[in-house]
């Protein structure tokens, strides 16, 4: 990606791109990686709901571009409380965004999908007969308490104990780093077909930054 950065820079008219240091290239690459991930997530969420349009299944999801960052974690919750809401601290590291939650009850081998909603919409959801939480339609919210994420799971009048929680999430992308010795390199962990696009975006960011510096000096 460093070689591509310098090649793209030359092609885009940046004659001094050869003088940029490797750690500076890393900075622009990492900024471009984050921006690309946010763009993919924004487009995915923005296109998920169409008002007044019948939902159509698409053969390829935009979030597929982040498939290398998609992880699943299963937590044994059999030791937790049985009251409603069911509360559990989630201490997963390096999480960019949570996507789905599933729970499993005792004496059952099947996972039940949870509706993941915002805490400020919880009250109106629970008082509505059609949208309230039930055993087969549980609701989960996340809250940040003392720098820890706490999951609150509502299952209605159900008295069965929750034994496992499965969490799907997208992790933060790797922070790329070029090591001159070659022993401690950290590569980009996004799909390879996105690398050229990321490098081109990084070069544009570099171009903007040196353009602003030149303008400030003049």
């Amino acid at each position: 990606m460093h070689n591509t950065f310098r090649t793209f820079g030359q092609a885009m008219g940046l004659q001094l791109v050869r003088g940029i240091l490797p750690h500076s290239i890393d900075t622009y690459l990492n900024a471009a990686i984050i921006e690309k991930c946010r763009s993919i997530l924004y487009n995915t969420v923005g296109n998920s709901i169409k008002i007044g349009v019948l939902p159509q299944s698409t053969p390829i999801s935009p979030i597929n571009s982040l498939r290398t960052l998609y992880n699943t974690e299963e937590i044994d919750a059999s030791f937790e409380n049985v009251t409603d809401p069911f509360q559990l601290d989630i201490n997963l590291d390096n999480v960019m965004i949570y996507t789905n939650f599933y729970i499993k009850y005792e004496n059952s081998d099947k996972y039940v999908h949870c509706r993941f909603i915002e805490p400020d919409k919880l009250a109106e959801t629970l008082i509505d007969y059609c949208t309230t939480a039930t055993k087969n339609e549980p609701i989960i919210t996340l809250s940040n308490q003392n720098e820890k994420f706490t999951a609150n799971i509502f299952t209605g009048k159900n008295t069965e104990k929750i034994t496992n929680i499965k969490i799907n999430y997208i992790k933060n992308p790797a922070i790329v780093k070029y090591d001159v010795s070659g022993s401690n390199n950290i590569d980009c962990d996004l799909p390879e077909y996105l690398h050229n696009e990321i490098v081109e975006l990084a070069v544009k960011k570099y171009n903007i930054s040196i353009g602003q510096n030149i303008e400030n000096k003049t």
Side-chain angles (χ1 to χ4, degrees):
M1 294 180 81
H2 275 239
N3 291 334
T4 306
F5 182 96
R6 298 184 188 278
T7 302
F8 279 9
Q10 292 285 343
M12 296 171 68
L14 302 179
Q15 302 304 323
L16 299 179
V17 73
R18 292 291 175 185
I20 184 173
L21 298 175
H23 71 269
S24 297
I25 295 179
D26 286 339
T27 300
Y28 289 104
L29 288 175
N30 286 313
I33 288 171
I34 293 296
E35 182 172 331
K36 183 61 182 176
C37 289
R38 292 180 61 183
S39 174
I40 293 173
L41 291 173
Y42 176 81
N43 291 332
T44 301
V45 174
N47 293 328
S48 62
I49 299 178
K50 300 290 186 180
I51 304 300
V53 179
L54 291 176
Q56 300 290 328
S57 60
T58 55
I60 301 177
S61 171
I63 208 170
N64 185 51
S65 300
L66 302 180
R67 62 185 180 276
T68 54
L69 305 181
Y70 203 83
N71 283 354
T72 298
E73 191 79 22
E74 187 170 349
I75 299 176
D76 179 6
S78 59
F79 56 88
E80 297 292 336
N81 61 296
V82 199
T83 59
D84 191 65
F86 178 92
Q87 292 186 335
L88 176 70
D89 289 336
I90 299 178
N91 300 315
L92 301 182
D93 296 327
N94 201 31
V95 176
M96 174 185 286
I97 185 172
Y98 293 100
T99 57
N100 284 296
F101 292 84
Y102 301 85
I103 60 175
K104 185 166 65 174
Y105 297 104
E106 59 182 347
N107 303 321
S108 175
D109 295 329
K110 297 181 179 180
Y111 277 94
V112 179
H113 180 259
C114 297
R115 286 175 287 162
F116 186 19
I117 68 172
E118 298 87 345
D120 59 342
K121 295 182 179 180
L122 179 62
E124 61 184 83
T125 304
L126 292 178
I127 63 175
D128 190 318
Y129 175 79
C130 296
T131 61
T132 191
T134 63
K135 175 184 176 181
N136 294 322
E137 292 287 341
I139 292 175
I140 185 171
T141 63
L142 289 183
S143 59
N144 192 349
Q145 301 177 3
N146 299 321
E147 299 183 354
K148 291 183 179 180
F149 275 108
T150 300
N152 297 282
I153 306 174
F154 298 82
T155 59
K157 298 180 180 180
N158 168 62
T159 57
E160 289 191 49
K161 189 175 182 180
I162 298 174
T163 59
N164 295 79
I165 299 177
K166 186 163 63 174
I167 305 171
N168 294 340
Y169 66 95
I170 297 174
K171 68 175 184 177
N172 289 310
I175 300 177
V176 300
K177 178 183 178 181
Y178 175 74
D179 182 25
V180 179
S181 66
S183 58
N184 296 314
N185 286 332
I186 300 178
D187 297 326
C188 177
D189 55 357
L190 291 179
E192 189 172 351
Y193 76 91
L194 290 176
H195 289 189
N196 282 349
E197 186 177 344
I198 290 170
V199 174
E200 186 174 355
L201 179 58
V203 173
K204 290 180 179 178
K205 288 180 173 294
Y206 174 67
N207 189 15
I208 293 173
S209 68
I210 63 173
Q212 291 175 343
N213 290 337
I214 292 174
E215 183 179 348
N216 292 335
K217 290 179 181 180
T218 56

PDB file of all heavy atoms in Angstrom, residues 91-119:
ATOM      1  N   ASN A  91     -18.113  -7.066  28.021  1.00  0.00           N
ATOM      2  CA  ASN A  91     -16.759  -6.519  28.062  1.00  0.00           C
ATOM      3  C   ASN A  91     -15.948  -6.976  26.847  1.00  0.00           C
ATOM      4  O   ASN A  91     -14.857  -7.535  26.980  1.00  0.00           O
ATOM      5  CB  ASN A  91     -16.051  -6.946  29.358  1.00  0.00           C
ATOM      6  CG  ASN A  91     -16.778  -6.458  30.594  1.00  0.00           C
ATOM      7  OD1 ASN A  91     -17.190  -5.302  30.658  1.00  0.00           O
ATOM      8  ND2 ASN A  91     -16.951  -7.328  31.564  1.00  0.00           N
ATOM      9  N   LEU A  92     -16.498  -6.771  25.676  1.00  0.00           N
ATOM     10  CA  LEU A  92     -15.786  -7.127  24.455  1.00  0.00           C
ATOM     11  C   LEU A  92     -14.867  -5.985  24.048  1.00  0.00           C
ATOM     12  O   LEU A  92     -15.241  -4.810  24.129  1.00  0.00           O
ATOM     13  CB  LEU A  92     -16.771  -7.430  23.321  1.00  0.00           C
ATOM     14  CG  LEU A  92     -17.764  -8.564  23.571  1.00  0.00           C
ATOM     15  CD1 LEU A  92     -18.629  -8.777  22.345  1.00  0.00           C
ATOM     16  CD2 LEU A  92     -17.037  -9.852  23.931  1.00  0.00           C
ATOM     17  N   ASP A  93     -13.677  -6.322  23.621  1.00  0.00           N
ATOM     18  CA  ASP A  93     -12.705  -5.317  23.212  1.00  0.00           C
ATOM     19  C   ASP A  93     -12.751  -5.098  21.703  1.00  0.00           C
ATOM     20  O   ASP A  93     -13.144  -5.978  20.939  1.00  0.00           O
ATOM     21  CB  ASP A  93     -11.288  -5.755  23.621  1.00  0.00           C
ATOM     22  CG  ASP A  93     -11.124  -5.847  25.137  1.00  0.00           C
ATOM     23  OD1 ASP A  93     -11.770  -5.055  25.840  1.00  0.00           O
ATOM     24  OD2 ASP A  93     -10.382  -6.731  25.597  1.00  0.00           O
ATOM     25  N   ASN A  94     -12.328  -3.914  21.315  1.00  0.00           N
ATOM     26  CA  ASN A  94     -12.109  -3.600  19.895  1.00  0.00           C
ATOM     27  C   ASN A  94     -13.386  -3.706  19.063  1.00  0.00           C
ATOM     28  O   ASN A  94     -13.366  -4.174  17.926  1.00  0.00           O
ATOM     29  CB  ASN A  94     -11.036  -4.541  19.313  1.00  0.00           C
ATOM     30  CG  ASN A  94     -10.398  -3.989  18.061  1.00  0.00           C
ATOM     31  OD1 ASN A  94     -10.279  -2.776  17.891  1.00  0.00           O
ATOM     32  ND2 ASN A  94      -9.996  -4.855  17.154  1.00  0.00           N
ATOM     33  N   VAL A  95     -14.505  -3.257  19.617  1.00  0.00           N
ATOM     34  CA  VAL A  95     -15.782  -3.300  18.910  1.00  0.00           C
ATOM     35  C   VAL A  95     -16.055  -1.949  18.252  1.00  0.00           C
ATOM     36  O   VAL A  95     -16.026  -0.912  18.911  1.00  0.00           O
ATOM     37  CB  VAL A  95     -16.938  -3.656  19.859  1.00  0.00           C
ATOM     38  CG1 VAL A  95     -18.271  -3.606  19.120  1.00  0.00           C
ATOM     39  CG2 VAL A  95     -16.713  -5.034  20.469  1.00  0.00           C
ATOM     40  N   MET A  96     -16.339  -1.969  16.949  1.00  0.00           N
ATOM     41  CA  MET A  96     -16.753  -0.743  16.264  1.00  0.00           C
ATOM     42  C   MET A  96     -18.258  -0.560  16.366  1.00  0.00           C
ATOM     43  O   MET A  96     -18.744   0.509  16.720  1.00  0.00           O
ATOM     44  CB  MET A  96     -16.337  -0.776  14.791  1.00  0.00           C
ATOM     45  CG  MET A  96     -16.863   0.408  13.991  1.00  0.00           C
ATOM     46  SD  MET A  96     -16.513   0.315  12.214  1.00  0.00           S
ATOM     47  CE  MET A  96     -14.765   0.680  12.225  1.00  0.00           C
ATOM     48  N   ILE A  97     -19.015  -1.629  16.063  1.00  0.00           N
ATOM     49  CA  ILE A  97     -20.468  -1.536  16.097  1.00  0.00           C
ATOM     50  C   ILE A  97     -21.057  -2.916  16.332  1.00  0.00           C
ATOM     51  O   ILE A  97     -20.571  -3.911  15.794  1.00  0.00           O
ATOM     52  CB  ILE A  97     -20.998  -0.928  14.774  1.00  0.00           C
ATOM     53  CG1 ILE A  97     -22.514  -0.717  14.835  1.00  0.00           C
ATOM     54  CG2 ILE A  97     -20.622  -1.784  13.576  1.00  0.00           C
ATOM     55  CD1 ILE A  97     -23.062   0.059  13.652  1.00  0.00           C
ATOM     56  N   TYR A  98     -22.079  -2.965  17.187  1.00  0.00           N
ATOM     57  CA  TYR A  98     -22.811  -4.204  17.411  1.00  0.00           C
ATOM     58  C   TYR A  98     -23.894  -4.324  16.340  1.00  0.00           C
ATOM     59  O   TYR A  98     -24.553  -3.337  16.003  1.00  0.00           O
ATOM     60  CB  TYR A  98     -23.447  -4.224  18.800  1.00  0.00           C
ATOM     61  CG  TYR A  98     -22.456  -4.271  19.929  1.00  0.00           C
ATOM     62  CD1 TYR A  98     -22.112  -3.118  20.635  1.00  0.00           C
ATOM     63  CD2 TYR A  98     -21.852  -5.464  20.301  1.00  0.00           C
ATOM     64  CE1 TYR A  98     -21.205  -3.154  21.678  1.00  0.00           C
ATOM     65  CE2 TYR A  98     -20.943  -5.516  21.338  1.00  0.00           C
ATOM     66  CZ  TYR A  98     -20.617  -4.355  22.029  1.00  0.00           C
ATOM     67  OH  TYR A  98     -19.703  -4.397  23.049  1.00  0.00           O
ATOM     68  N   THR A  99     -24.101  -5.515  15.833  1.00  0.00           N
ATOM     69  CA  THR A  99     -25.080  -5.701  14.758  1.00  0.00           C
ATOM     70  C   THR A  99     -26.277  -6.546  15.179  1.00  0.00           C
ATOM     71  O   THR A  99     -27.413  -6.200  14.861  1.00  0.00           O
ATOM     72  CB  THR A  99     -24.420  -6.360  13.533  1.00  0.00           C
ATOM     73  OG1 THR A  99     -23.831  -7.615  13.928  1.00  0.00           O
ATOM     74  CG2 THR A  99     -23.344  -5.459  12.947  1.00  0.00           C
ATOM     75  N   ASN A 100     -26.059  -7.669  15.874  1.00  0.00           N
ATOM     76  CA  ASN A 100     -27.165  -8.551  16.250  1.00  0.00           C
ATOM     77  C   ASN A 100     -26.896  -9.221  17.588  1.00  0.00           C
ATOM     78  O   ASN A 100     -25.736  -9.462  17.961  1.00  0.00           O
ATOM     79  CB  ASN A 100     -27.391  -9.640  15.191  1.00  0.00           C
ATOM     80  CG  ASN A 100     -28.095  -9.118  13.956  1.00  0.00           C
ATOM     81  OD1 ASN A 100     -29.240  -8.693  14.019  1.00  0.00           O
ATOM     82  ND2 ASN A 100     -27.402  -9.129  12.836  1.00  0.00           N
ATOM     83  N   PHE A 101     -27.995  -9.538  18.282  1.00  0.00           N
ATOM     84  CA  PHE A 101     -27.920 -10.274  19.539  1.00  0.00           C
ATOM     85  C   PHE A 101     -28.899 -11.436  19.489  1.00  0.00           C
ATOM     86  O   PHE A 101     -30.021 -11.301  18.971  1.00  0.00           O
ATOM     87  CB  PHE A 101     -28.274  -9.374  20.727  1.00  0.00           C
ATOM     88  CG  PHE A 101     -27.270  -8.297  21.008  1.00  0.00           C
ATOM     89  CD1 PHE A 101     -27.307  -7.105  20.317  1.00  0.00           C
ATOM     90  CD2 PHE A 101     -26.282  -8.483  21.960  1.00  0.00           C
ATOM     91  CE1 PHE A 101     -26.391  -6.105  20.568  1.00  0.00           C
ATOM     92  CE2 PHE A 101     -25.358  -7.489  22.224  1.00  0.00           C
ATOM     93  CZ  PHE A 101     -25.404  -6.298  21.525  1.00  0.00           C
ATOM     94  N   TYR A 102     -28.468 -12.576  20.031  1.00  0.00           N
ATOM     95  CA  TYR A 102     -29.322 -13.759  20.115  1.00  0.00           C
ATOM     96  C   TYR A 102     -29.208 -14.331  21.526  1.00  0.00           C
ATOM     97  O   TYR A 102     -28.135 -14.259  22.157  1.00  0.00           O
ATOM     98  CB  TYR A 102     -28.886 -14.829  19.110  1.00  0.00           C
ATOM     99  CG  TYR A 102     -28.915 -14.386  17.665  1.00  0.00           C
ATOM    100  CD1 TYR A 102     -27.835 -13.703  17.104  1.00  0.00           C
ATOM    101  CD2 TYR A 102     -30.019 -14.649  16.856  1.00  0.00           C
ATOM    102  CE1 TYR A 102     -27.858 -13.293  15.781  1.00  0.00           C
ATOM    103  CE2 TYR A 102     -30.044 -14.247  15.529  1.00  0.00           C
ATOM    104  CZ  TYR A 102     -28.965 -13.563  15.003  1.00  0.00           C
ATOM    105  OH  TYR A 102     -28.990 -13.162  13.697  1.00  0.00           O
ATOM    106  N   ILE A 103     -30.292 -14.888  22.033  1.00  0.00           N
ATOM    107  CA  ILE A 103     -30.268 -15.507  23.356  1.00  0.00           C
ATOM    108  C   ILE A 103     -30.765 -16.945  23.261  1.00  0.00           C
ATOM    109  O   ILE A 103     -31.494 -17.311  22.335  1.00  0.00           O
ATOM    110  CB  ILE A 103     -31.129 -14.729  24.375  1.00  0.00           C
ATOM    111  CG1 ILE A 103     -32.590 -14.671  23.924  1.00  0.00           C
ATOM    112  CG2 ILE A 103     -30.563 -13.337  24.597  1.00  0.00           C
ATOM    113  CD1 ILE A 103     -33.509 -14.020  24.946  1.00  0.00           C
ATOM    114  N   LYS A 104     -30.337 -17.744  24.230  1.00  0.00           N
ATOM    115  CA  LYS A 104     -30.778 -19.139  24.300  1.00  0.00           C
ATOM    116  C   LYS A 104     -31.279 -19.401  25.708  1.00  0.00           C
ATOM    117  O   LYS A 104     -30.608 -19.063  26.690  1.00  0.00           O
ATOM    118  CB  LYS A 104     -29.642 -20.093  23.940  1.00  0.00           C
ATOM    119  CG  LYS A 104     -30.076 -21.549  23.887  1.00  0.00           C
ATOM    120  CD  LYS A 104     -29.019 -22.428  23.208  1.00  0.00           C
ATOM    121  CE  LYS A 104     -27.738 -22.498  23.987  1.00  0.00           C
ATOM    122  NZ  LYS A 104     -26.771 -23.464  23.404  1.00  0.00           N
ATOM    123  N   TYR A 105     -32.471 -20.003  25.803  1.00  0.00           N
ATOM    124  CA  TYR A 105     -33.061 -20.310  27.099  1.00  0.00           C
ATOM    125  C   TYR A 105     -32.616 -21.700  27.572  1.00  0.00           C
ATOM    126  O   TYR A 105     -32.172 -22.531  26.789  1.00  0.00           O
ATOM    127  CB  TYR A 105     -34.591 -20.278  27.011  1.00  0.00           C
ATOM    128  CG  TYR A 105     -35.160 -18.928  26.654  1.00  0.00           C
ATOM    129  CD1 TYR A 105     -35.648 -18.678  25.367  1.00  0.00           C
ATOM    130  CD2 TYR A 105     -35.224 -17.903  27.593  1.00  0.00           C
ATOM    131  CE1 TYR A 105     -36.190 -17.444  25.034  1.00  0.00           C
ATOM    132  CE2 TYR A 105     -35.759 -16.659  27.265  1.00  0.00           C
ATOM    133  CZ  TYR A 105     -36.232 -16.438  25.985  1.00  0.00           C
ATOM    134  OH  TYR A 105     -36.763 -15.213  25.653  1.00  0.00           O
ATOM    135  N   GLU A 106     -32.760 -21.898  28.868  1.00  0.00           N
ATOM    136  CA  GLU A 106     -32.453 -23.220  29.408  1.00  0.00           C
ATOM    137  C   GLU A 106     -33.417 -24.251  28.818  1.00  0.00           C
ATOM    138  O   GLU A 106     -34.558 -23.946  28.479  1.00  0.00           O
ATOM    139  CB  GLU A 106     -32.555 -23.198  30.930  1.00  0.00           C
ATOM    140  CG  GLU A 106     -33.916 -22.797  31.460  1.00  0.00           C
ATOM    141  CD  GLU A 106     -33.951 -22.748  32.967  1.00  0.00           C
ATOM    142  OE1 GLU A 106     -32.999 -23.254  33.598  1.00  0.00           O
ATOM    143  OE2 GLU A 106     -34.922 -22.197  33.520  1.00  0.00           O
ATOM    144  N   ASN A 107     -32.927 -25.463  28.678  1.00  0.00           N
ATOM    145  CA  ASN A 107     -33.700 -26.569  28.094  1.00  0.00           C
ATOM    146  C   ASN A 107     -34.073 -26.318  26.638  1.00  0.00           C
ATOM    147  O   ASN A 107     -35.099 -26.798  26.151  1.00  0.00           O
ATOM    148  CB  ASN A 107     -34.970 -26.841  28.914  1.00  0.00           C
ATOM    149  CG  ASN A 107     -34.682 -27.148  30.366  1.00  0.00           C
ATOM    150  OD1 ASN A 107     -33.706 -27.835  30.680  1.00  0.00           O
ATOM    151  ND2 ASN A 107     -35.508 -26.627  31.271  1.00  0.00           N
ATOM    152  N   SER A 108     -33.261 -25.525  25.954  1.00  0.00           N
ATOM    153  CA  SER A 108     -33.508 -25.258  24.536  1.00  0.00           C
ATOM    154  C   SER A 108     -32.182 -25.206  23.800  1.00  0.00           C
ATOM    155  O   SER A 108     -31.173 -24.734  24.343  1.00  0.00           O
ATOM    156  CB  SER A 108     -34.258 -23.936  24.351  1.00  0.00           C
ATOM    157  OG  SER A 108     -34.397 -23.631  22.977  1.00  0.00           O
ATOM    158  N   ASP A 109     -32.188 -25.694  22.563  1.00  0.00           N
ATOM    159  CA  ASP A 109     -30.978 -25.664  21.745  1.00  0.00           C
ATOM    160  C   ASP A 109     -31.027 -24.574  20.680  1.00  0.00           C
ATOM    161  O   ASP A 109     -30.083 -24.412  19.911  1.00  0.00           O
ATOM    162  CB  ASP A 109     -30.770 -27.020  21.056  1.00  0.00           C
ATOM    163  CG  ASP A 109     -30.495 -28.130  22.052  1.00  0.00           C
ATOM    164  OD1 ASP A 109     -29.902 -27.830  23.101  1.00  0.00           O
ATOM    165  OD2 ASP A 109     -30.891 -29.278  21.780  1.00  0.00           O
ATOM    166  N   LYS A 110     -32.137 -23.840  20.619  1.00  0.00           N
ATOM    167  CA  LYS A 110     -32.309 -22.826  19.591  1.00  0.00           C
ATOM    168  C   LYS A 110     -32.039 -21.425  20.133  1.00  0.00           C
ATOM    169  O   LYS A 110     -32.366 -21.118  21.278  1.00  0.00           O
ATOM    170  CB  LYS A 110     -33.728 -22.894  19.014  1.00  0.00           C
ATOM    171  CG  LYS A 110     -34.048 -24.202  18.305  1.00  0.00           C
ATOM    172  CD  LYS A 110     -35.458 -24.166  17.737  1.00  0.00           C
ATOM    173  CE  LYS A 110     -35.776 -25.458  16.998  1.00  0.00           C
ATOM    174  NZ  LYS A 110     -37.162 -25.451  16.431  1.00  0.00           N
ATOM    175  N   TYR A 111     -31.461 -20.600  19.263  1.00  0.00           N
ATOM    176  CA  TYR A 111     -31.239 -19.202  19.609  1.00  0.00           C
ATOM    177  C   TYR A 111     -32.419 -18.363  19.136  1.00  0.00           C
ATOM    178  O   TYR A 111     -32.991 -18.608  18.072  1.00  0.00           O
ATOM    179  CB  TYR A 111     -29.953 -18.674  18.966  1.00  0.00           C
ATOM    180  CG  TYR A 111     -28.706 -18.999  19.763  1.00  0.00           C
ATOM    181  CD1 TYR A 111     -27.957 -20.141  19.483  1.00  0.00           C
ATOM    182  CD2 TYR A 111     -28.292 -18.174  20.799  1.00  0.00           C
ATOM    183  CE1 TYR A 111     -26.820 -20.442  20.208  1.00  0.00           C
ATOM    184  CE2 TYR A 111     -27.149 -18.460  21.529  1.00  0.00           C
ATOM    185  CZ  TYR A 111     -26.420 -19.587  21.232  1.00  0.00           C
ATOM    186  OH  TYR A 111     -25.297 -19.879  21.956  1.00  0.00           O
ATOM    187  N   VAL A 112     -32.775 -17.372  19.931  1.00  0.00           N
ATOM    188  CA  VAL A 112     -33.862 -16.458  19.599  1.00  0.00           C
ATOM    189  C   VAL A 112     -33.263 -15.080  19.332  1.00  0.00           C
ATOM    190  O   VAL A 112     -32.466 -14.573  20.136  1.00  0.00           O
ATOM    191  CB  VAL A 112     -34.885 -16.376  20.743  1.00  0.00           C
ATOM    192  CG1 VAL A 112     -36.004 -15.395  20.388  1.00  0.00           C
ATOM    193  CG2 VAL A 112     -35.444 -17.751  21.052  1.00  0.00           C
ATOM    194  N   HIS A 113     -33.649 -14.488  18.213  1.00  0.00           N
ATOM    195  CA  HIS A 113     -33.122 -13.176  17.840  1.00  0.00           C
ATOM    196  C   HIS A 113     -33.746 -12.085  18.700  1.00  0.00           C
ATOM    197  O   HIS A 113     -34.957 -12.075  18.949  1.00  0.00           O
ATOM    198  CB  HIS A 113     -33.402 -12.902  16.367  1.00  0.00           C
ATOM    199  CG  HIS A 113     -32.901 -11.571  15.904  1.00  0.00           C
ATOM    200  ND1 HIS A 113     -33.727 -10.474  15.737  1.00  0.00           N
ATOM    201  CD2 HIS A 113     -31.649 -11.151  15.591  1.00  0.00           C
ATOM    202  CE1 HIS A 113     -33.001  -9.442  15.328  1.00  0.00           C
ATOM    203  NE2 HIS A 113     -31.746  -9.828  15.238  1.00  0.00           N
ATOM    204  N   CYS A 114     -32.906 -11.155  19.165  1.00  0.00           N
ATOM    205  CA  CYS A 114     -33.382 -10.034  19.966  1.00  0.00           C
ATOM    206  C   CYS A 114     -33.554  -8.788  19.101  1.00  0.00           C
ATOM    207  O   CYS A 114     -32.742  -8.527  18.210  1.00  0.00           O
ATOM    208  CB  CYS A 114     -32.383  -9.721  21.085  1.00  0.00           C
ATOM    209  SG  CYS A 114     -32.145 -11.040  22.277  1.00  0.00           S
ATOM    210  N   ARG A 115     -34.589  -8.032  19.390  1.00  0.00           N
ATOM    211  CA  ARG A 115     -34.738  -6.732  18.740  1.00  0.00           C
ATOM    212  C   ARG A 115     -33.833  -5.735  19.452  1.00  0.00           C
ATOM    213  O   ARG A 115     -33.954  -5.521  20.657  1.00  0.00           O
ATOM    214  CB  ARG A 115     -36.197  -6.270  18.794  1.00  0.00           C
ATOM    215  CG  ARG A 115     -37.124  -7.010  17.846  1.00  0.00           C
ATOM    216  CD  ARG A 115     -38.563  -6.562  18.060  1.00  0.00           C
ATOM    217  NE  ARG A 115     -39.107  -7.093  19.307  1.00  0.00           N
ATOM    218  CZ  ARG A 115     -40.183  -6.611  19.921  1.00  0.00           C
ATOM    219  NH1 ARG A 115     -40.817  -5.568  19.413  1.00  0.00           N
ATOM    220  NH2 ARG A 115     -40.618  -7.169  21.039  1.00  0.00           N
ATOM    221  N   PHE A 116     -32.942  -5.136  18.715  1.00  0.00           N
ATOM    222  CA  PHE A 116     -31.942  -4.225  19.274  1.00  0.00           C
ATOM    223  C   PHE A 116     -32.446  -2.800  19.074  1.00  0.00           C
ATOM    224  O   PHE A 116     -32.483  -2.298  17.953  1.00  0.00           O
ATOM    225  CB  PHE A 116     -30.606  -4.459  18.549  1.00  0.00           C
ATOM    226  CG  PHE A 116     -29.453  -3.694  19.121  1.00  0.00           C
ATOM    227  CD1 PHE A 116     -29.476  -3.177  20.400  1.00  0.00           C
ATOM    228  CD2 PHE A 116     -28.307  -3.487  18.349  1.00  0.00           C
ATOM    229  CE1 PHE A 116     -28.398  -2.485  20.920  1.00  0.00           C
ATOM    230  CE2 PHE A 116     -27.224  -2.789  18.847  1.00  0.00           C
ATOM    231  CZ  PHE A 116     -27.276  -2.296  20.142  1.00  0.00           C
ATOM    232  N   ILE A 117     -32.863  -2.135  20.162  1.00  0.00           N
ATOM    233  CA  ILE A 117     -33.417  -0.796  20.051  1.00  0.00           C
ATOM    234  C   ILE A 117     -32.691   0.175  20.970  1.00  0.00           C
ATOM    235  O   ILE A 117     -31.977  -0.230  21.894  1.00  0.00           O
ATOM    236  CB  ILE A 117     -34.929  -0.784  20.367  1.00  0.00           C
ATOM    237  CG1 ILE A 117     -35.153  -1.096  21.853  1.00  0.00           C
ATOM    238  CG2 ILE A 117     -35.691  -1.754  19.493  1.00  0.00           C
ATOM    239  CD1 ILE A 117     -36.598  -0.911  22.278  1.00  0.00           C
ATOM    240  N   GLU A 118     -32.907   1.478  20.738  1.00  0.00           N
ATOM    241  CA  GLU A 118     -32.282   2.505  21.548  1.00  0.00           C
ATOM    242  C   GLU A 118     -32.995   2.620  22.894  1.00  0.00           C
ATOM    243  O   GLU A 118     -34.217   2.435  22.984  1.00  0.00           O
ATOM    244  CB  GLU A 118     -32.329   3.861  20.842  1.00  0.00           C
ATOM    245  CG  GLU A 118     -31.585   3.900  19.520  1.00  0.00           C
ATOM    246  CD  GLU A 118     -32.452   3.465  18.353  1.00  0.00           C
ATOM    247  OE1 GLU A 118     -33.521   2.867  18.600  1.00  0.00           O
ATOM    248  OE2 GLU A 118     -32.057   3.718  17.211  1.00  0.00           O
ATOM    249  N   PRO A 119     -32.262   2.940  23.961  1.00  0.00           N
ATOM    250  CA  PRO A 119     -32.890   3.058  25.296  1.00  0.00           C
ATOM    251  C   PRO A 119     -34.000   4.097  25.346  1.00  0.00           C
ATOM    252  O   PRO A 119     -34.977   3.921  26.084  1.00  0.00           O
ATOM    253  CB  PRO A 119     -31.711   3.452  26.199  1.00  0.00           C
ATOM    254  CG  PRO A 119     -30.504   2.918  25.508  1.00  0.00           C
ATOM    255  CD  PRO A 119     -30.786   3.065  24.041  1.00  0.00           C
TER     256      PRO A 119
END
